[in-house]
């Protein structure tokens, strides 16, 4: 079972024009040659990452269909095709506190109103949750009075099954940020006029790069390229720097633990996670005050 966000991405790619010719064929008759032709069309446009993604998504469909003999599929024509491009070259980085100050110091969009992208970035930084999960959160899952975000079952990324529920402590800093946002009719915290009705990681990444470029023009700080997911890694890295035990950090991030110890340890570490994120939020708040000249 795929998380809703993942299922939408599969549908977007596989129902697009690149696979229109394949969709006209019986699934059982599709060959590796025809799959390769479809991937060739994507590669000719220079979309190397999309070639890999499309190949993986299509292969996943056939992996599901083969053992079930769905649509008379008896084999996976994608299995014998190697991935064409290596995506492992980008540095897996995190932001230092000076970098956070340089890039994310201002929360308003120029007119005093909160900027959705800035708030989303701070929420990712302050909670360590996946950017996609932050951007698709609904107000009904947020309790600002209690300082708690209850992520329902199946709403997070998980390989090979449905993700369990995950409760996230919200520090006073995050609660303050979220209080500044208007309530949308569609129910999403970060609404959009697009088809999915909420902002996406693509939207956020564009805003990050625009914001970074604008801020660097007015700053002597040199901050390298980073992505929304690097903000999640930043939270994890600084929690470890602060001495938070690894098992607490892993529970905070929502990572599963397949080890024997993890299987038998069913403790949620709620109080420990609350304390860790409150302390991290206090550091981020100090960072904000220093940039704003309030410290």
């Amino acid at each position: 079972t795929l998380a809703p966000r993942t299922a939408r991405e599969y549908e977007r790619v596989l129902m697009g024009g690149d696979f229109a010719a394949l969709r006209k064929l019986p699934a059982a008759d599709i060959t590796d040659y025809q799959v390769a032709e479809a991937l060739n069309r994507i590669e000719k446009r220079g979309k190397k990452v999309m070639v890999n993604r499309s190949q993986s998504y299509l292969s996943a469909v056939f992996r599901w269909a083969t053992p079930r003999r769905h649509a008379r599929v008896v084999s996976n024509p994608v299995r014998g095709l190697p991935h064409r491009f290596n995506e492992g070259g980008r540095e897996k980085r995190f932001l230092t506190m000076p970098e956070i100050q340089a890039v994310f110091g201002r929360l308003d969009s120029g007119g005093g109103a909160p900027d959705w992208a800035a708030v989303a970035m701070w929420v990712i930084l302050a909670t360590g949750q996946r950017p996609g999960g932050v951007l698709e959160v609904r107000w009904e899952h947020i309790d600002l009075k209690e300082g708690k975000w209850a992520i329902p079952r199946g709403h997070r990324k998980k390989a090979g099954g449905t993700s369990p529920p995950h409760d996230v402590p919200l520090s006073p800093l995050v609660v303050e940020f979220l209080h500044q946002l208007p309530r949308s009719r569609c129910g999403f915290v970060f609404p959009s006029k697009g088809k999915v009705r909420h902002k996406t990681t693509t939207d956020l990444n564009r805003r990050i790069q625009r914001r970074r470029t604008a801020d660097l023009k007015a700053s002597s700080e040199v901050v390298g390229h980073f992505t929304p997911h690097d903000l999640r890694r930043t939270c994890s890295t600084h929690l470890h720097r602060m001495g938070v035990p690894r098992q607490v950090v892993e529970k905070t991030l929502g990572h599963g633990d397949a080890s024997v110890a993890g299987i038998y340890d069913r403790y949620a570490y709620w109080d420990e996670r609350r304390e860790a994120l409150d302390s991290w939020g206090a550091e981020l708040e100090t960072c904000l005050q220093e940039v704003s000249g309030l410290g």
Side-chain angles (χ1 to χ4, degrees), residues 4-5 8 116 131-138 184 186-203:
R5 184 174 70 255
R8 287 194 297 269
W116 74 264
V134 169
L135 293 171
E136 69 175 24
V137 64
R138 302 180 68 97
S184 61
C186 68
F188 288 105
V189 176
F190 301 101
S192 172
K193 296 180 180 179
K195 183 178 179 180
V196 297
R197 297 194 300 161
H198 62 76
K199 298 295 185 182
T200 66
T201 52
T202 299
D203 297 326

Side-chain angles (χ1 to χ4, degrees), residues 76-230:
N76 180 358
V78 192
R79 183 176 57 186
L81 299 176
H83 280 284
R84 304 184 184 189
F85 303 105
N86 180 15
E87 299 178 40
R90 195 184 77 82
E91 177 189 5
K92 292 180 172 60
R93 65 167 305 215
F94 71 96
L95 275 66
T96 64
M97 295 305 288
E99 285 180 315
I100 293 173
Q101 287 181 324
V103 180
F104 301 115
R106 295 190 298 276
L107 274 176
D108 62 81
S109 56
D115 174 36
W116 74 264
V119 175
M121 287 186 270
W122 280 107
V123 173
I124 297 168
L125 271 173
T127 65
Q129 302 310 297
R130 291 184 175 87
V134 169
L135 293 171
E136 69 175 24
V137 64
R138 302 180 68 97
W139 284 113
E140 65 190 81
H141 301 151
I142 297 287
D143 187 334
L144 293 179
K145 184 176 181 180
E146 187 178 346
K148 179 179 178 181
W149 169 17
I151 304 177
R153 180 179 300 277
H155 278 239
R156 294 185 297 129
K157 178 181 177 182
K158 187 181 189 302
T162 302
S163 62
H166 179 54
D167 292 337
V168 181
L170 301 179
S171 66
L173 179 69
V174 174
V175 171
E176 180 184 349
F177 289 166
L178 293 177
H179 266 304
Q180 297 179 46
L181 295 176
R183 299 292 180 107
S184 61
R185 290 185 178 181
C186 68
F188 288 105
V189 176
F190 301 101
S192 172
K193 296 180 180 179
K195 183 178 179 180
V196 297
R197 297 194 300 161
H198 62 76
K199 298 295 185 182
T200 66
T201 52
T202 299
D203 297 326
L204 183 58
N205 192 48
R206 289 172 180 164
R207 291 295 292 271
I208 284 178
Q209 302 318 321
R210 286 209 305 267
R211 186 183 186 89
R212 174 176 165 267
T213 300
D215 284 0
L216 288 180
K217 289 181 179 179
S219 173
S220 60
E221 300 283 350
V222 178
V223 181
H225 174 84
F226 63 91
T227 69
H229 195 82
D230 290 331

